[in-house]
Amino acid sequence: MGSVETTAPSHYQERAHFKECIIYQVYPASFCDANGDGMGDVQGVISKLDYLKDLGVDVIWLSPVYKSPFIDNGYDISEYHEIDPRFGTLADVDQLIAEMHKRDMKLVMDLVVNHCSDQHEWFVESRKSKDNPYRDFFWWRPAKYSDSGERLPPNNWREEFSSGSAWEWDELTQEYYLHLYCKEQPDLNWETPAVRQAIYTDIMKWWLDRGCDGFRMDVINLISKVPSLPDAPIKNPEEKFQESYKYTANGPRIHEFLQEMNREVLSKYPGLITVGETPFTHHDFDVLVPYVLPENKELQTIFQFEQQEVDGYPQLVPKDYKLSEFKEITARWQIEMQNRGGWNSIYLENHDVARSISRFGNDTTPTYRTLTAKLLSALQCTLSGTLYVYQGEEIAMANLPKDWPIEEYVDIASQVYYAEELAVRKHKTGEEKPDMSDIMSALQRKSRDHARNPMQWDDGLDAGFSPINKKGWVGKPWMRVHDDYKEWNVAKQIGDPESVLSFWKKMIAFRKSHLACTYGYFTLLSPSNEEVFAYTKEYKDERLLVLLNFTKEDVSYTLPEQAGAVGDMSDFTGNYTSGPPHFEGREVKLRPYEALVVAGGK
Ligand code: GLC
């Protein structure tokens, strides 16, 4: 097979720890409850470090454990230096860091600094008076008035969790403040130099000096807004408030701010891991790649959202998609990053999205579920970039059961979406119980709740998430445990060489021993084939051929000329146990949901 044509700069394939490490995201509320109060905690994470190490994990990204009123499950922080009592203490986090370092693992904390909680001291001060020293830490603006004298918010921006305004009126000082998320999450004003200094020094350095090894930066592309705060374009004329992202995402000073942050903080701590979450930006490499170009000295990686939006945007308005669209997005990100010299993050799951096997695989029978979980693992473990695995993904946790009522969906985004739609329908139909089946079906496909129920450790009470204390009492988990935990849990899979968990472990080891997975130049084969996702990866003198049958049928696939010679099939791995793939000429038969990864020389 000849070399792929690429304009990739040479540094793209230069080895680095941040590129090769396997990062596992822990959503602390739902990971492991060590003290039996029904809520996961830091001691619970410590108790599972050996499990994670054994899986091949090098780094944990810990979603927020800071003090929080928990309106948005910890992404509303009221004190950045304290651990919320529901998760433990600062001493527990110190112990976590020490235990991780002992095992040669790193801890990445969540840095949520586009906004804080309305209970944070900065905001409590800020709302006290117009001349309070913290006033400019936030975006305060006077009201506008309509011709009839009605008080209106300063512009037409909508908040993210509802169809309401992104501005909240404050009686005391008779002004509005900006909140792109819910009203309990006021946006910090990064135009104010003291805000930036406080974040760099009091938050970031404080945590780095404590031993934390990097940050996952929450909605970091929203920190620079167009300061004149103009009205957003009217995309939906039926709505009073509109998506603000033209003026709030990737704003005019974003790169200046991140370069300053890098200069003042990140560059001073060698070996850090950084990843920025960059939502609300579609199909635009010119906008997103600069965040991760090494010469720009900003971040190492970003989480792009295009792949996540293949089955619907906004998130709770699902749509069907074709395999060719999924492949095209994957391929474009692989190739654009390689050609421009940026770096990808590879992920299908996190705490904000539904389970990958339910979205991109098939969770309708145990066999399909196992096969497709392995197929998605083979896909992710052979793509170039830094790999993220989300808790439960490694045992094929699936979306919540379809017969669970709305009351089991506890996320603010799900609750508000349902309540608003219910109110509209009640009003329209005059019925007390209007038909909400389409909304339930959207939530069943896409809600964030699917990622947030307790991790399934064993087949004991509450899936082993909470321990039974000495009196035999067990805390009721804060969120209901999935009905399928007796069949799908870590204990059942850990000793079974055919389990999804064992396959993840095998694929992670394969990724670590075949650098073409992490660094290889990517070539998409057969882009319009709606059954098979096929590609090659090339790194130095190594090449991989990856064949993934995304259908539940037997499929015959003919390897295009572009893929080069069929070659030696002795170094292969796949999700079926029997024998190496059998090529007849250039044709190979793939079994239902078969994943094949073949490694060889060029
Ligand atoms: C990010 C977080 C999400 C949170 C939002 C507001 O997208 O991942 O969970 O709701 O930011 O902080």
Side-chain angles (χ1 to χ4, degrees), residues 19-23 55-57 330 334 345-348 372-390 393-394 500-520 522 533 535 537 542 544-546 548 573 595-597:
K19 298 176 174 178
E20 291 179 26
C21 63
I22 309 296
I23 307 187
L55 181 61
V57 170
T330 313
Q334 289 285 294
S345 63
I346 305 301
Y347 76 102
L348 288 179
T372 56
K374 292 178 180 178
L375 173 115
L376 295 174
S377 165
L379 167 69
Q380 295 179 85
C381 288
T382 52
L383 290 177
S384 295
T386 301
L387 178 63
Y388 285 80
V389 185
Y390 181 66
E393 187 176 5
E394 78 276 25
V500 173
L501 180 60
S502 297
F503 189 81
W504 265 103
K505 191 173 160 182
K506 185 163 84 178
M507 277 312 303
I508 287 173
F510 182 91
R511 179 177 177 85
K512 288 185 175 177
S513 61
H514 293 80
L515 292 180
C517 295
T518 305
Y519 296 103
F522 176 98
F533 192 167
Y535 51 92
K537 299 289 302 291
E542 184 186 22
L544 297 177
L545 171 64
V546 182
L548 309 168
T573 183
L596 271 178
V597 181

Side-chain angles (χ1 to χ4, degrees), residues 72 75 112 115 161 181 185 216 218-219 277 351-352 448 452:
D72 184 21
Y75 282 88
V112 188
H115 46 266
F161 292 141
Y181 287 87
Q185 291 169 299
R216 174 267 183 185
D218 192 62
V219 290
E277 188 199 24
H351 66 292
D352 288 332
R448 307 199 295 183
R452 298 182 176 189

Side-chain angles (χ1 to χ4, degrees), residues 160-399:
E160 181 54 20
F161 292 141
S162 81
S163 56
S165 170
W167 293 93
E168 181 71 10
W169 177 248
D170 199 61
E171 278 300 332
L172 185 67
T173 55
Q174 298 282 299
E175 280 192 336
Y176 283 93
Y177 67 87
L178 177 67
H179 58 92
L180 293 182
Y181 287 87
C182 64
K183 66 179 183 349
E184 294 85 357
Q185 291 169 299
D187 278 55
L188 284 157
N189 185 349
W190 278 64
E191 298 290 324
T192 303
V195 167
R196 307 203 297 277
Q197 280 315 314
I199 290 168
Y200 302 157
T201 308
D202 300 345
I203 301 177
M204 298 180 73
K205 286 186 178 169
W206 193 88
W207 276 102
L208 294 171
D209 290 339
R210 255 197 133 76
C212 123
D213 303 292
F215 297 108
R216 174 267 183 185
M217 304 184 189
D218 192 62
V219 290
I220 201 67
N221 64 333
L222 302 187
I223 60 176
S224 164
K225 282 101 175 150
V226 170
S228 56
L229 312 175
D231 271 334
I234 305 200
K235 276 199 188 158
N236 186 347
E238 282 168 23
E239 297 286 337
K240 203 161 156 194
F241 301 107
Q242 306 288 326
E243 247 185 37
S244 70
Y245 302 111
K246 183 172 180 201
Y247 299 116
T248 53
N250 317 299
R253 297 183 71 190
I254 185 72
H255 297 292
E256 178 195 332
F257 292 160
L258 289 176
Q259 283 165 17
E260 180 183 76
M261 176 198 279
N262 188 299
R263 212 169 40 244
E264 296 203 12
V265 187
L266 305 175
S267 63
K268 303 217 186 313
Y269 296 81
L272 289 189
I273 291 169
T274 59
V275 53
E277 188 199 24
T278 52
F280 314 116
T281 312
H282 311 277
H283 313 269
D284 208 335
F285 291 95
D286 289 339
V287 172
L288 288 180
V289 176
Y291 286 91
V292 295
L293 288 178
E295 61 269 32
N296 286 359
K297 297 193 169 50
E298 297 180 23
L299 304 174
Q300 292 164 337
T301 48
I302 50 163
F303 290 130
Q304 53 96 354
F305 276 63
E306 211 183 329
Q307 185 116 51
Q308 289 297 335
E309 289 163 6
V310 68
D311 64 348
Y313 176 83
Q315 182 160 336
L316 291 175
V317 185
K319 82 167 176 56
D320 293 331
Y321 66 93
K322 291 190 190 148
L323 180 64
S324 55
E325 295 172 58
F326 183 85
K327 297 196 310 189
E328 189 274 330
I329 296 171
T330 313
R332 195 151 34 78
W333 276 88
Q334 289 285 294
I335 290 164
E336 290 285 341
M337 282 297 192
Q338 100 194 1
N339 285 349
R340 295 174 187 236
W343 193 250
N344 280 300
S345 63
I346 305 301
Y347 76 102
L348 288 179
E349 290 195 16
N350 62 35
H351 66 292
D352 288 332
V353 296
R355 291 291 182 176
S356 58
I357 46 159
S358 307
R359 294 171 71 194
F360 310 121
N362 183 339
D363 63 3
T364 59
T365 72
T367 307
Y368 290 160
R369 182 164 166 181
T370 301
L371 283 170
T372 56
K374 292 178 180 178
L375 173 115
L376 295 174
S377 165
L379 167 69
Q380 295 179 85
C381 288
T382 52
L383 290 177
S384 295
T386 301
L387 178 63
Y388 285 80
V389 185
Y390 181 66
Q391 68 184 44
E393 187 176 5
E394 78 276 25
I395 55 163
M397 280 180 67
N399 277 3

Side-chain angles (χ1 to χ4, degrees), residues 435-448:
D435 178 23
M436 293 290 285
S437 53
D438 56 329
I439 300 295
M440 274 319 286
S441 134
L443 291 173
Q444 283 158 3
R445 280 175 71 175
K446 294 288 294 289
S447 122
R448 307 199 295 183

Side-chain angles (χ1 to χ4, degrees), residues 563-579:
V566 169
D568 174 18
M569 293 295 161
S570 54
D571 187 5
F572 81 100
T573 183
N575 59 357
Y576 278 81
T577 37
S578 55

